[in-house]
Structure formats: structure tokens, C-alpha cells
Amino acid sequence: MKIRFIFFLTLIFFCIFSAVSGCTESNDRNSGGLNESLKEESQQIAGNYVRDLDSYKTCNLTEPVLTESTNLNCSSCWQFVYKFDLVSEKDPDVVDTATVTVTVTEGEVVDTSYAQGSRYKLGIPSGSMGADDLLEKPVYDTEVFVYGTVSELEASEPDNVEKVSFKLNWENAELPVMSTGKPTGIEDIENGDWIIVTGELKTGNETGRDKGPVLFASRVQTEDLAETGLFTSEVNVNEEEMIVREIPANETAQAYRVWYEIREDGTTLEAKEKIFQNISPDNPIEIEIRDVKTGSTYTIRVFIRNMEGRILYDTEHVGGFGVEEKKTK
């Protein structure tokens, strides 16, 4: 009798434990789903805040990209970090990167921070950095794109550019640059030029120097790459439509990343990035506005990169009923 009692008591405890565990697991699943829903809602609120910034609405070149999301000390408290590229107000040939941190609590934006800094000039590959940034956060044995101004340019022998050395200066930083062969484009470089260097950073131990890292250059580029006739524009405007054709100088068909914005009397109708395939002089990039309105002015901003991210062309076209004005930046 005592054994039966113990057996039934054990069975009762087992059932109670199973029920409690099931409830706990169910609650965890429900809580997880609720947290995910709150996160998505908070992220949408933060994204809308970024898109409503004046700097984004007037100068943006790319869509905001979410780079970080953090759950704070409550289930409905989230912090999001977004980044987007925009045209610098100080220099239209400079592309800045804006970093926006947005804190959302219970569905409301409660705190924000905004930082904006120079990222690259027209013609510089995406992801490039100043000489000061590379020295502050060295990246070794990996191809990097570094910009600055040239000083102390020397060849190993007079009139011989097979081996060169110079200093790359930016923001009070001085980065030694060397080459073991002839870097592409070195013939066009002089002291004082603003350039972009493609190369790999080596440690002082690897180079036999005791004075710190050295950038070994494989290519140098001048700052006027965006002005070398990579594209030409053709605009047709009539009372029914406005068509912009961006015609590449390169006859080899290839793909391009194109961001464009269409505005009607200052109001944005469309803004998007699109990949155009098989583009050549015979098959140019084409952007059109259909059903234009009488008396309205239309603006088409076009920003073209290659698939590696290098900026090739930045232009703006304004038209309305046979009157067209093009502004190339």
C-alpha cells in the first residue's frame, strides 16, 4: 500500500512539472515572438526618422543601411545605427558618410545622435580612407585605397620611375609610400597633387625600417578621374516625355550601378538604385519621365558607379517643354 502511494505521488509531481515546463516553454516562445515584433516596429520607426532628416532628403546618395541594433534594458527599448552616403554641403565633389544613432522606447524616438564625415572624392573607390585613418587603424597585407597629398616624391634614379618613394599627407598625418616596381599612373604625379593610392600596408619589420609601417603602391590615381569623359549625356524633352541617356565612352558592354532621383517641381517622384546590364555606346543607360505635366519643371539626378564601387559620373538634368539645362558636378 505504501509503495502504491509513493508511485501515485511521484506520478502527480511528474505531471505538475511537465505542465509547468510546457507553460514556461510556451511563454518563452510567445515572449520571443513579441520581442521580435517590437524590434521590427521600433526599427521601422528609427528608419523613418532617418529618412525624414533634412540632410537625407536633400543630399542623400544611398539608402540608409542598418549597421547595428541593440536591445537596451527593457523589451521595448532599442537602439539602431544607420549609415548613408550624401553630398557634402561644403564641397559638392566630396561624398560624406552620415552615421545616425536612434533610440526608440515604447514606440517613440527618445534620443538621437548624428555624425557626418568625409568618405571619398569623386573617382575614389568605395571604402577608401585617408592616410591618417590607415595609420590610426592599420590594415596589413590587404589591398587598400588611401588618399592624401604628395610630398618628397623621389625616384631611385634620375628620370627613372621604376622605383619611387614619397609621403602621403592627410590631416597632419604622414604615411611613407614605396614601390618595388613601376606603379600604374605614377608618371602623372607631382608633389602637391591630391591622389588615391592602391596598395598594401607592410610593417616596419617587413620593410627593414624602424620608423613604422609603409604603404607599397601598385597604382596611383589623380583626383580628376570623374572628369575624363567616362560618360556623356543626351537629353530629349517634349510635351509628353523627358528622356535622359548616359552614354559610356567604353565600347565594351558592362554593368553599372546607377542611383537616380526624379523630381517634379522640387518634389521627389522616384529615387532608387538600379543595376543596368550590358551598357555600351549603342545601348546606353536610359531614364525617362512619362506623362509630363504642362508648366512643370523636371529634374533628373544621376549618379553612376562601376560594380566595384568607383564613382564614374555625377550629373543633373533640368527640363520642361523644350528647355533643358544640364549641370554636371
Side-chain angles (χ1 to χ4, degrees):
M1 188 71 178
K2 188 177 294 185
I3 294 175
R4 285 183 180 178
F5 176 76
I6 293 173
F7 172 75
F8 282 118
L9 189 62
T10 303
L11 183 61
I12 290 171
F13 276 119
F14 176 77
C15 292
I16 293 173
F17 177 78
S18 297
V20 171
S21 299
C23 290
T24 302
E25 184 177 345
S26 176
N27 286 337
D28 288 342
R29 284 198 300 268
N30 292 337
S31 176
L34 179 61
N35 286 341
E36 190 63 30
S37 177
L38 289 171
K39 178 183 177 182
E40 291 177 1
E41 179 183 342
S42 299
Q43 182 176 326
Q44 184 175 2
I45 292 170
N48 290 339
Y49 173 86
V50 174
R51 289 180 175 85
D52 198 45
L53 291 170
D54 288 341
S55 59
Y56 176 79
K57 291 190 291 186
T58 58
C59 302
N60 80 298
L61 296 173
T62 62
E63 289 290 312
V65 175
L66 179 66
T67 61
E68 185 180 338
S69 60
T70 305
N71 186 211
L72 303 180
N73 56 1
C74 70
S75 61
S76 59
C77 305
W78 290 88
Q79 187 176 82
F80 303 95
V81 179
Y82 284 88
K83 291 188 177 183
F84 64 89
D85 290 351
L86 69 164
V87 176
S88 171
E89 295 180 357
K90 297 180 180 178
D91 184 348
D93 287 339
V94 174
V95 177
D96 286 354
T97 295
T99 302
V100 188
T101 303
V102 184
T103 302
V104 179
T105 300
E106 296 181 356
E108 293 186 3
V109 176
V110 297
D111 190 28
T112 63
S113 67
Y114 181 96
Q116 181 175 326
S118 175
R119 183 178 178 188
Y120 47 76
K121 282 197 172 187
L122 292 177
I124 304 178
S126 178
S128 59
M129 66 186 79
D132 59 322
D133 290 332
L134 184 60
L135 287 171
E136 182 178 349
K137 297 180 179 179
V139 179
Y140 294 103
D141 302 317
T142 300
E143 185 177 72
V144 291
F145 307 103
V146 191
Y147 54 82
T149 56
V150 178
S151 67
E152 301 181 33
L153 175 62
E154 297 179 357
S156 57
E157 299 176 9
D159 302 320
N160 181 359
V161 293
E162 290 296 322
K163 294 183 179 181
V164 298
S165 65
F166 57 89
K167 301 289 180 63
L168 196 63
N169 306 274
W170 197 251
E171 297 292 341
N172 298 318
E174 190 176 72
L175 174 64
V177 181
M178 299 178 65
S179 72
T180 54
K182 178 182 177 181
T184 304
I186 192 64
E187 302 93 337
D188 302 323
I189 303 303
E190 298 178 355
N191 284 321
D193 285 350
W194 190 96
I195 65 170
I196 313 103
V197 179
T198 303
E200 293 188 7
L201 190 68
K202 302 293 184 179
T203 64
N205 292 334
E206 291 179 278
T207 62
R209 291 167 49 96
D210 298 327
K211 296 182 180 180
V214 178
L215 180 65
F216 276 80
S218 60
R219 177 182 174 86
V220 294
Q221 304 167 205
T222 56
E223 66 175 323
D224 60 353
L225 288 176
E227 302 172 3
T228 55
L230 299 176
F231 279 84
T232 56
S233 300
E234 181 182 285
V235 181
N236 294 317
V237 186
N238 56 49
E239 294 184 359
E240 295 181 354
E241 63 185 7
M242 177 175 175
I243 300 177
V244 171
R245 295 182 180 90
E246 308 296 358
I247 306 167
N250 191 340
E251 295 186 0
T252 302
Q254 55 188 289
Y256 296 94
R257 292 169 51 196
V258 180
W259 178 90
Y260 65 89
E261 180 185 24
I262 299 174
R263 298 195 300 270
E264 179 185 79
D265 297 327
T267 300
T268 299
L269 300 179
E270 183 180 9
K272 65 189 298 186
E273 185 173 60
K274 179 180 177 181
I275 295 177
F276 286 77
Q277 303 281 357
N278 299 316
I279 298 301
S280 68
D282 295 327
N283 181 38
I285 295 166
E286 188 171 291
I287 301 169
E288 61 182 3
I289 305 173
R290 298 290 187 182
D291 301 322
V292 298
K293 296 178 182 178
T294 303
S296 291
T297 299
Y298 292 88
T299 303
I300 299 180
R301 171 79 185 281
V302 184
F303 188 75
I304 303 174
R305 309 181 195 217
N306 64 13
M307 297 306 291
E308 288 72 41
R310 178 186 159 197
I311 302 169
L312 305 178
Y313 199 52
D314 183 7
T315 187
E316 184 176 276
H317 308 278
V318 181
F321 304 109
V323 179
E324 185 271 329
E325 176 187 350
K326 186 184 77 170
K327 302 174 183 176
T328 303
K329 298 179 179 179

